[in-house]
Amino acid sequence: MVGQRLLQDPQLIKKKLSNGLTYYIYPTDQGKNQADVRLFVKTGSLQEADNQLGLAHFLEHMAFNGIKHFKANELIRFLESKGAKFGHDLNAHTSFQETIYKLKIPTRDIQVVDSTLTILSDWVDGMLLDSLEVEKERGVILSEWLSKQSPKLNSSQAFLDQLLNGSLYSNRKVIGDTTILRNFKHSELKQFYNQWYDPSIMAIAISGDIDVNKVEELIKKKFESKKTTSPNWKEHPIPSYTKDSLLIYSDSWVTKTELNYIQLIPPLRDVASINLYEQYLTRTIINSLFKERFAKLSKGKTFYTDGSISIGNFLPVKGAIIATVELDSSNLKKGIEQFNTHLGQLYTYGFTNQEIEKTKKNLYGSFKRKVQAEKSSSSSSLMNQMYQDFFYGNSIIDPSYELEILKKSIPKIDSTTILSYLQNINLGPKRYLMTTNASMKTQLPLNKELLAIINSAPHKIIPYKDSLFVPEKLLNEHPLAGKTTSINPISEIDATELILSNGVKIIYKHSDIEKNKVLLSGFRAGGFYGMDSIDYLTSMYAEPIVSLSGYGNFSREALSHFLAGNSAKVQMLVDKTRSGFFGSSNVQDTSTLFELFYLKWTQPQIDSILFDKVKEQSILKAEQSPNDKQVDFRNELNFLIKGKDYTTIPTTPEMIEEGLHVSDMIPLYNAFFGNAFDYTVIIISDQKLDDLLPYIETYLGGLPSDNSYNPKTYFPSSGFKKSQSFIRYASPSPKATVSVVFQHDKKIKDLHKKEVLNELVEGIIKIRLYEELRENAGKVYGVNVSLNSTSTPTSLSRHTISFNCAPEDASQLIQEVNKILKEITTGQLPIKQDLDNVKENSKKNYHAKRNTNAFWTKAIRDYYFKKYRSWDHVNNYDFMLDSITEKDIIKVIKKELLKTPRVNAILYPENYKNQ
């Protein structure tokens, strides 16, 4: 069995045409009447010559600017008319050795599938590359380059440079060279296209609700006749390091000190045999073990703040082992030495049997549940597998078949296997990269001394010990059950409302969407806004610290071990306006689900050592927050928009030091969860209510409750009342960041109708601005538009239009935005087609989401929490959309954008004022 080839998933069609083009077809019923489509091209920046830097990415952009069957913007317009949304359902990206075109399409009409494959066919050899369109796109590409310039990019590039290690990749940034982008000849772009867009290095992948035979027939018809020149395509290697070395990167924008240990290794790819699958499985288990070990170590008494390690591929030609430690500058040497000791424990002794068995149990249990659910894989998941097959050579196998392999292979992976794997892979030189703030660099030891500290072997490495006690049961005593005092049908959504004797409201909905599943969620208005001002900041720490500490007789680690292989999970949640929880399990684990929920609700614990560590790290993070003009800009703008009070001021180290006390944690946790009064709980399952009722009455009806819950009523400030400009010269990057914020606090009569209207207005404005500012003017790369309205805790509408641009264009583009909005209202810019397209996209997304239990959980919660007037958001969504007219859109733009107070905020480069 060791050398046996993996059997391809029988559902998959994978074939090659005579010209070398590969195609994948995989039908799935997840996502009715829609499909994901990809064109994979093994072409990227690595295929560029020195005088072509950036052309691969430029060509990707040109694919949307005119092809044989769709001129200029016709392609986007056509797909949008079918319910696609540019950026979400229609997109592309370019990397070092790949360009991928991505579409999500409706499949109810075979003509849409046919037209989509025609588009892919034109991308292969039918791009027009019109001279005028090329010139317009130069501005867009340069705007994209500008939008990505930031100090963070510099530190990320420093890390990437270590991985690429002076190979050809190092000299092939995907965005390219701005001089070449401004000046290349049209003929050079066409030459690159003709040479590197060849069917022999391409693949078509389609997965979804499709007619397999018809799709295969269309692929053969449209692609079989395409000619191949068999280009000289090859992979480019990345050399391994030849010796240990250290690089220190610093600038004034890095907020913490981190040390990365990088070791380059061969990639794990071409997983097409049982032997290689077992290597993949071993690596997967080891990465989980790494994560668990350092999660525990980092929360204990350590001289470093956080640590991690992982093994994986970062390109098809290279893999890496990357260990990262976040250091406290006051304990730099001790932190490095201790982290080295913890790494040494891994490579010398591996993991304990208890750690390994828990991880294996979780992995196998999770995969088994997935297979037993008899639920098809989503088209997006299948698309990822097709990507792995084409670019990495990893076989696509049937989940049931994989479960068989897993069952036979997982027992072979024990402490000896894992230790052997780790010791064999931990060979060869390493590159160390330290990143720190510029002010810290002078305090660091010299490179040679620092490298010696990093490379120094621990004096004595002893095995990792964990005296973990795992109780045998979740609850020592079960609660006294409550009673159901009333049951009423909710006919609009075919659900049932129950009121329990402790006042908890239950909404039960039967759903066959997920078999043998129970979803449990609850909420109550209040949240952080419901706390007194003196407890506001501290209350944000209560739930996270309890979650890390444990419940009842269980530490966090003990509870994790107890639940290994069990499907039950419960997460307690708090945000600004509500507290709540979410849990789920398979039917066979229903008892565990409800017991776990009751345990977390009633028996919070605090680990004082962990509390001290969290407090220490929070203070350190607040101290590391850069004190500069850019931060001042964000804070001042936030105050201008939201007002200045205890909810909006930045957190300081002093506030944490003086305000965060271990004795407050459980009382604050109980303020959110100790009293069940006024909670609404939603249960969605394919199990009958009668079967779940004993659990409901025992574990929900048995929750402590009284009517003493009385949260504070907080009313956020509506901020500015008149239009104004807010301009600062503080950005470290060469771009200007523009935000136009509109805000009003007029009463919202029908919140859901307002939300639907906002969604349509947002979509239309984004289309218009994208076309005018990007496609026609070439002045921006992207435009963000958001329209948000709420009635909780009070009515407030805040709408934002934002973008990055060249500093010299900022003021003019704000005027242009205003002009475009006015032209929409006067009819100079017609929006009928845009409105139809946005509606079609909204309907498509709505009906796709409706076929999930998550949709019903949110829909029911929104009805009660947002106090909707009716269930129209569930039953009459299409009608609501169709009833909204162009006049309604224009009215919103006039009243809430053009006639509403605004802030025109511009963050210019810090040195721009002097230019």
Side-chain angles (χ1 to χ4, degrees):
M1 189 173 179
V2 173
Q4 183 181 335
R5 300 283 296 176
L6 293 172
L7 301 177
Q8 179 179 293
D9 189 331
Q11 286 275 87
L12 171 71
I13 293 175
K14 176 191 173 185
K15 295 180 182 178
K16 260 190 182 183
L17 300 177
S18 58
N19 54 19
L21 184 139
T22 303
Y23 65 88
Y24 301 85
I25 307 171
Y26 200 118
T28 176
D29 58 7
Q30 290 299 304
K32 193 166 179 60
N33 296 320
Q34 60 181 343
D36 283 283
V37 182
R38 299 285 186 274
L39 176 64
F40 297 141
V41 189
K42 286 184 177 177
T43 294
S45 58
L46 282 183
Q47 277 61 54
E48 298 164 352
D50 289 342
N51 64 343
Q52 296 176 324
L53 303 184
L55 292 198
H57 176 241
F58 201 106
L59 193 57
E60 171 224 307
H61 276 238
M62 292 306 300
F64 299 96
N65 289 339
I67 54 179
K68 185 177 178 182
H69 290 89
F70 295 91
K71 309 297 187 288
N73 286 333
E74 288 180 8
L75 186 157
I76 294 174
R77 289 285 184 182
F78 167 75
L79 289 170
E80 286 182 335
S81 73
K82 305 302 178 185
K85 183 178 181 181
F86 187 72
H88 183 269
D89 305 312
L90 174 62
N91 213 331
H93 79 258
T94 304
S95 186
F96 290 113
Q97 207 153 351
E98 68 183 42
T99 302
I100 299 178
Y101 297 92
K102 310 168 224 184
L103 301 94
K104 183 180 282 290
I105 61 168
T107 57
R108 185 182 287 106
D109 182 356
I110 191 62
Q111 286 304 313
V112 176
V113 180
D114 188 311
S115 297
T116 300
L117 290 171
T118 296
I119 291 168
L120 267 62
S121 172
D122 283 356
W123 283 339
V124 174
D125 62 3
M127 289 194 207
L128 299 180
L129 303 181
D130 176 77
S131 297
L132 180 61
E133 294 296 328
V134 169
E135 291 308 309
K136 286 165 62 177
E137 201 62 27
R138 289 187 202 267
V140 175
I141 296 283
L142 291 168
S143 294
E144 180 180 357
W145 174 86
L146 183 65
S147 72
K148 294 179 178 178
Q149 301 309 300
S150 70
K152 187 176 180 181
L153 177 68
N154 296 334
S155 58
S156 299
Q157 188 62 46
F159 180 79
L160 183 60
D161 286 343
Q162 305 317 302
L163 291 174
L164 302 180
N165 194 27
S167 64
L168 181 63
Y169 292 82
S170 302
N171 300 314
R172 290 295 183 271
K173 291 181 182 178
V174 175
I175 194 68
D177 180 279
T178 54
T179 301
I180 291 173
L181 292 171
R182 287 188 178 96
N183 299 295
F184 70 81
K185 296 177 182 177
H186 297 178
S187 59
E188 294 174 312
L189 186 63
K190 289 182 179 179
Q191 179 189 349
F192 185 86
Y193 176 50
N194 292 334
Q195 180 177 1
W196 292 111
Y197 271 52
D198 189 280
S200 64
I201 51 173
M202 290 180 165
I204 293 162
I206 182 165
S207 174
D209 187 4
I210 50 174
D211 181 331
V212 172
N213 294 330
K214 185 62 178 175
V215 168
E216 184 170 21
E217 179 187 325
L218 287 170
I219 289 173
K220 289 178 179 178
K221 176 183 174 183
K222 294 177 185 292
F223 295 90
E224 183 75 72
S225 62
K226 296 189 181 297
K227 306 297 182 186
T228 176
T229 60
S230 301
N232 184 27
W233 186 94
K234 61 180 180 181
E235 289 187 329
H236 295 269
I238 295 174
S240 294
Y241 306 131
T242 56
K243 63 178 182 179
D244 289 351
S245 61
L246 168 68
L247 174 75
I248 299 175
Y249 174 87
S250 66
D251 66 37
S252 58
W253 307 100
V254 176
T255 60
K256 56 188 177 182
T257 300
E258 277 190 346
L259 177 62
N260 294 283
Y261 299 54
I262 307 169
Q263 180 187 336
L264 298 181
I265 59 174
L268 178 56
R269 54 175 294 180
D270 300 311
V271 179
S273 67
I274 301 293
N275 181 44
L276 282 172
Y277 179 85
E278 289 179 348
Q279 289 186 42
Y280 154 78
L281 183 59
T282 302
R283 179 180 288 190
T284 300
I285 290 171
I286 287 173
N287 277 326
S288 293
L289 289 164
F290 281 156
K291 185 177 179 180
E292 286 286 326
R293 173 73 69 84
F294 276 101
K296 182 167 185 180
L297 289 171
S298 298
K299 290 174 179 64
K301 287 186 175 180
T302 58
F303 292 109
Y304 59 85
T305 305
D306 198 9
S308 65
I309 180 172
S310 64
I311 310 171
N313 300 335
F314 65 91
L315 283 167
V317 297
K318 210 68 177 178
I321 307 172
I322 300 174
T324 303
V325 57
E326 183 181 339
L327 297 161
D328 178 351
S329 55
S330 62
N331 280 308
L332 191 81
K333 185 172 184 290
K334 287 182 178 178
I336 293 172
E337 289 173 344
Q338 188 180 41
F339 186 69
N340 283 346
T341 298
H342 291 156
L343 289 178
Q345 285 179 323
L346 295 175
Y347 289 121
T348 306
Y349 299 105
F351 295 90
T352 67
N353 288 329
Q354 189 179 40
E355 288 176 298
I356 293 168
E357 288 310 307
K358 173 200 165 186
T359 299
K360 286 162 59 173
K361 211 171 175 182
N362 277 332
L363 184 99
Y364 182 74
S366 174
F367 200 86
K368 184 179 180 181
R369 289 192 294 274
K370 175 185 171 184
V371 173
Q372 288 178 338
E374 298 179 354
K375 187 176 179 182
S376 303
S377 299
S378 67
S379 58
S380 58
S381 169
L382 291 165
M383 203 54 71
N384 289 335
Q385 293 181 54
M386 295 174 195
Y387 169 87
Q388 285 289 322
D389 184 279
F390 187 66
F391 288 100
Y392 284 82
N394 298 333
S395 294
I396 301 171
I397 58 178
D398 175 70
S400 297
Y401 170 60
E402 185 171 1
L403 183 63
E404 287 179 36
I405 302 172
L406 202 62
K407 189 174 182 180
K408 294 175 182 176
S409 300
I410 213 164
K412 301 178 187 177
I413 302 171
D414 56 18
S415 59
T416 304
T417 311
I418 288 171
L419 181 58
S420 175
Y421 186 98
L422 288 172
Q423 291 178 339
N424 286 331
I425 205 169
N426 186 35
L427 303 170
K430 296 178 178 64
R431 183 73 51 85
Y432 304 104
L433 172 66
M434 177 169 279
T435 57
T436 190
N437 188 272
S439 63
M440 267 296 300
K441 187 173 182 181
T442 55
Q443 302 175 40
L444 295 176
L446 296 174
N447 273 38
K448 187 175 180 180
E449 182 185 347
L450 188 55
L451 183 59
I453 293 170
I454 296 167
N455 276 334
S456 61
H459 297 302
K460 185 179 180 182
I461 298 176
I462 60 175
Y464 172 79
K465 289 184 179 179
D466 187 8
S467 53
L468 183 66
F469 168 70
V470 182
E472 294 182 358
K473 54 186 178 179
L474 289 172
L475 300 174
N476 291 326
E477 294 182 5
H478 291 274
L480 180 64
K483 301 287 186 182
T484 302
T485 60
S486 70
I487 301 179
N488 295 294
I490 308 173
S491 57
E492 295 92 336
I493 59 167
D494 193 22
T496 304
E497 178 192 88
L498 297 83
I499 303 297
L500 303 181
S501 52
N502 60 356
V504 174
K505 180 188 293 182
I506 307 294
I507 309 298
Y508 163 80
K509 178 168 175 57
H510 186 273
S511 169
D512 289 320
I513 293 171
E514 292 186 70
K515 300 292 184 185
N516 299 313
K517 194 89 171 180
V518 180
L519 296 186
L520 180 71
S521 66
F523 66 91
R524 177 175 67 187
F528 301 132
Y529 281 166
M531 306 303 291
D532 190 85
S533 59
I534 61 171
D535 292 324
Y536 179 78
L537 172 64
T538 321
S539 67
M540 294 182 180
Y541 288 85
E543 189 283 321
I545 289 177
V546 168
S547 176
L548 293 170
S549 298
Y551 307 87
N553 296 323
F554 289 86
S555 67
R556 178 178 179 273
E557 289 71 31
L559 186 58
S560 179
H561 276 270
F562 180 89
L563 294 171
N566 194 294
S567 64
K569 55 185 177 183
V570 174
Q571 175 67 57
M572 313 306 280
L573 305 163
V574 188
D575 65 21
K576 288 183 177 180
T577 59
R578 64 178 178 239
S579 56
F581 56 88
F582 178 81
S584 67
S585 76
N586 286 353
V587 170
Q588 62 266 32
D589 297 324
T590 303
S591 180
T592 304
L593 170 65
F594 280 89
E595 286 186 22
L596 179 63
F597 162 74
Y598 189 84
L599 174 73
K600 289 193 171 188
W601 184 285
T602 60
Q603 299 182 46
Q605 298 297 328
I606 290 294
D607 180 329
S608 58
I609 294 175
L610 186 139
F611 172 85
D612 291 340
K613 184 71 180 281
V614 170
K615 183 174 181 177
E616 176 188 320
Q617 290 178 351
S618 299
I619 292 171
L620 182 63
K621 184 177 180 181
E623 288 173 342
Q624 291 173 337
S625 180
N627 182 20
D628 57 54
K629 293 178 182 178
Q630 189 176 19
V631 173
D632 291 342
F633 170 84
R634 288 197 297 267
N635 290 336
E636 288 179 51
L637 180 58
N638 197 43
F639 297 152
L640 181 59
I641 294 169
K642 300 179 180 179
K644 187 174 183 179
D645 64 18
Y646 65 90
T647 70
T648 59
I649 57 173
T651 303
T652 65
E654 293 75 21
M655 290 166 65
I656 300 170
E657 180 64 59
E658 295 169 10
L660 198 57
H661 304 289
V662 67
S663 58
D664 293 332
M665 292 299 99
I666 288 180
L668 287 170
Y669 182 92
N670 287 334
F672 296 124
F673 304 112
N675 182 356
F677 181 78
D678 216 23
Y679 260 91
T680 299
V681 178
I682 303 162
I683 298 175
I684 297 178
S685 178
D686 64 340
Q687 302 303 295
K688 294 178 180 178
L689 177 58
D690 287 347
D691 294 333
L692 295 173
L693 196 56
Y695 298 108
I696 293 171
E697 292 185 333
T698 301
Y699 298 101
L700 296 174
L703 291 173
S705 175
D706 61 60
N707 59 7
S708 64
Y709 177 69
N710 185 28
K712 176 184 175 181
T713 302
Y714 168 78
F715 295 104
S717 167
S718 57
F720 60 92
K721 298 295 183 182
K722 61 181 181 179
S723 294
Q724 54 193 288
S725 294
F726 182 79
I727 297 172
R728 295 291 184 273
Y729 298 85
S731 174
S733 77
K735 66 192 174 193
T737 299
V738 177
S739 295
V740 185
V741 184
F742 311 83
Q743 188 165 277
H744 69 81
D745 57 3
K746 294 171 186 171
K747 187 173 181 180
I748 300 167
K749 295 179 182 178
D750 186 334
L751 180 59
H752 183 252
K753 185 175 180 181
K754 178 64 181 141
E755 289 171 335
V756 173
L757 192 53
N758 282 351
E759 181 184 348
L760 297 182
V761 175
E762 182 181 298
I764 288 168
I765 292 175
K766 190 164 187 176
I767 289 171
R768 289 286 99 214
L769 294 181
Y770 180 90
E771 189 163 313
E772 299 299 325
L773 302 186
R774 172 177 157 140
E775 295 304 306
N776 293 338
K779 296 293 186 180
V780 302
Y781 173 59
V783 182
N784 293 315
V785 181
S786 66
L787 275 73
N788 295 299
S789 298
T790 183
S791 57
T792 304
T794 186
S795 290
L796 181 67
S797 292
R798 181 178 297 134
H799 312 321
T800 305
I801 297 171
S802 59
F803 51 85
N804 296 315
C805 64
E808 60 271 20
D809 293 331
S811 294
Q812 181 59 43
L813 287 176
I814 289 177
Q815 294 177 33
E816 188 64 24
V817 167
N818 205 48
K819 177 173 173 283
I820 290 166
L821 294 176
K822 285 181 178 177
E823 288 179 349
I824 291 174
T825 64
T826 60
Q828 289 173 268
L829 279 177
I831 61 169
K832 184 181 184 310
Q833 186 61 57
D834 294 333
L835 179 56
D836 290 343
N837 292 349
V838 174
K839 285 180 178 179
E840 191 65 30
N841 181 261
S842 295
K843 289 177 185 177
K844 182 200 72 175
N845 291 337
Y846 169 81
H847 289 288
K849 290 175 183 175
R850 188 183 171 96
N851 195 38
T852 65
N853 281 336
F855 167 87
W856 288 104
T857 299
K858 183 178 185 302
I860 295 170
R861 183 182 67 235
D862 284 351
Y863 174 81
Y864 288 97
F865 181 73
K866 295 182 177 181
K867 298 179 172 62
Y868 285 166
R869 292 180 168 187
S870 70
W871 290 99
D872 283 349
H873 66 298
V874 172
N875 297 324
N876 295 307
Y877 182 78
D878 287 3
F879 176 79
M880 289 183 69
L881 278 179
D882 291 336
S883 68
I884 294 173
T885 65
E886 292 174 72
K887 286 184 179 180
D888 296 321
I889 303 296
I890 289 169
K891 184 178 178 182
V892 171
I893 294 174
K894 276 184 178 179
K895 289 182 66 176
E896 300 195 32
L897 299 178
L898 294 175
K899 294 183 179 180
T900 289
R902 70 170 70 183
V903 171
N904 293 329
I906 308 175
L907 177 62
Y908 283 111
E910 55 190 343
N911 59 354
Y912 183 71
K913 192 173 184 179
N914 301 321
Q915 292 182 9

